Amino acid sequence: ARMPRWLITPLQTVVSLFLFVEVAVVAGLALFPAVSLFQWVEPQLSPGPLKVLLLCMVGALGYFIYGLSLVFIVPVARWLTVALGTPLGKYPYVSVRGYQWASYNALILIVRFSFINWIRATPFNVIFYRLMGMKVGARAQINTAVVADCNLISVGADTVIGGDVTLIAHAVEGPNLVTARVVIGDRVTVGLMS
């Protein structure tokens, strides 16, 4: 039986609020080391302009500690929630598999919107995408933040994914999500913003 249409928006609202809590917990865990560093440094400095300058630098360093912590905490959260990966196939957007898709990609979005631009085309983003389930060949370079459904994507060895390429494995068709594997072979260049 199909879900009544009037129920979809209230259900989306409730699911969104639940995802906000999930994201807040993950982001809070990633912030813990940075805030701990700040709390440790602050009382050790003498009052004055130098203290303010040094605390600003510690705060900036804390941002990078937060981001690198996310690279490892988000994949762990993937295994602690139902967000193991994007399910393969065609299924209703409003379903358990639809929620799994939303939860998994919400975790990826935490990194995308708060840190990934600092680690594009570095080993750190390849590590993150691999930990999220993407198959990435040796010496591949990924220079995009626009990635979803990592567990359904394979990037071959010596391949370059250019800046701002959209790399996703899903589409919405009416009330359904449709997902399929995306395979990019060895020694391929996917150009800027493709």
Side-chain angles (χ1 to χ4, degrees):
R2 273 181 67 163
M3 177 178 297
R5 294 185 79 186
W6 65 267
L7 189 57
I8 292 174
T9 299
L11 187 58
Q12 282 179 312
T13 303
V14 170
V15 168
S16 295
L17 293 172
F18 185 77
L19 289 174
F20 293 166
V21 171
E22 182 179 297
V23 168
V25 168
V26 170
L29 289 170
L31 279 167
F32 183 80
V35 172
S36 296
L37 174 66
F38 192 89
Q39 284 187 319
W40 178 76
V41 169
E42 192 274 332
Q44 299 189 41
L45 299 173
S46 301
L50 182 59
K51 178 178 183 172
V52 172
L53 177 62
L54 292 173
L55 288 177
C56 290
M57 291 178 185
V58 169
L61 175 63
Y63 169 75
F64 289 97
I65 292 169
Y66 158 77
L68 292 174
S69 295
L70 271 181
V71 167
F72 297 99
I73 289 171
V74 165
V76 170
R78 167 186 176 211
W79 294 103
L80 296 177
T81 65
V82 297
L84 300 177
T86 295
L88 190 60
K90 182 176 182 176
Y91 42 90
Y93 178 71
V94 180
S95 65
V96 171
R97 291 195 298 170
Y99 176 79
Q100 187 178 8
W101 166 82
S103 179
Y104 174 73
N105 283 297
L107 291 172
I108 293 170
L109 289 175
I110 299 170
V111 178
R112 174 180 173 190
F113 288 124
S114 68
F115 192 68
I116 202 83
N117 282 326
W118 288 103
I119 59 172
R120 287 165 55 157
T122 73
F124 293 113
N125 77 344
V126 172
I127 289 167
F128 172 68
Y129 292 137
R130 282 180 177 151
L131 290 172
M132 291 304 288
M134 185 185 293
K135 293 177 177 71
V136 182
R139 298 169 305 281
Q141 293 288 316
I142 301 175
N143 186 21
T144 185
V146 189
V147 177
D149 315 307
C150 291
N151 64 301
L152 298 179
I153 298 171
S154 297
V155 176
D158 300 307
T159 290
V160 175
I161 306 298
D164 298 317
V165 166
T166 299
L167 197 54
I168 63 173
H170 73 271
V172 176
E173 294 180 1
N176 295 310
L177 276 170
V178 180
T179 64
R181 297 201 181 279
V182 173
V183 178
I184 301 169
D186 296 341
R187 295 175 300 284
V188 173
T189 297
V190 181
L192 179 70
M193 300 181 97
S194 295

